[in-house]
Amino acid sequence: EGYAIQGKRVTQSALIMIIEAQNADAAKNLEKCMEKVLSEQIRIWSDYLPAEYDYVKNNKIEREGNFIAYITSKYADALKETFDKSVE
């Protein structure tokens, strides 16, 4: 179960996903999937818009128990902090 938010325009790299996996193995698999999403974002944005690529380079993939966060945003650090506090 989870939520995803993506930029409204094709010129926005923002992508935020918060997912609760059913168990630790599922969480590990989801984390691997998020690494693949990040690889794809890097491929797309590295040549498209340099300012947006900076946000992708600052991506945060964070796992706490069965919760996984994927954060590409200009607010990535603040959102990661919020995620960390939420799952403590």
Side-chain angles (χ1 to χ4, degrees):
E1 186 173 330
Y3 298 93
I5 300 169
Q6 189 167 11
K8 289 194 258 183
R9 299 185 180 108
V10 295
T11 57
Q12 293 176 319
S13 64
L15 176 57
I16 301 162
M17 296 185 279
I18 308 292
I19 299 172
E20 181 181 11
Q22 291 182 337
N23 56 51
D25 288 336
K28 285 181 187 178
N29 288 335
L30 284 167
E31 196 170 17
K32 289 177 187 175
C33 290
M34 288 183 177
E35 292 289 345
K36 290 179 183 179
V37 172
L38 177 57
S39 294
E40 186 64 12
Q41 275 201 306
I42 289 169
R43 185 188 69 75
I44 291 167
W45 293 100
S46 63
D47 293 327
Y48 187 49
L49 291 172
E52 292 295 315
Y53 181 53
D54 287 341
Y55 302 141
V56 174
K57 289 189 295 188
N58 192 37
N59 171 279
K60 310 293 183 206
I61 297 175
E62 186 75 19
R63 180 172 161 220
E64 184 64 43
N66 291 343
F67 288 94
I68 306 104
Y70 179 99
I71 304 166
T72 297
S73 169
K74 63 181 169 181
Y75 307 109
D77 293 326
L79 290 167
K80 180 193 171 298
E81 188 176 316
T82 300
F83 172 79
D84 291 343
K85 289 178 182 176
S86 297
V87 294
E88 286 181 341

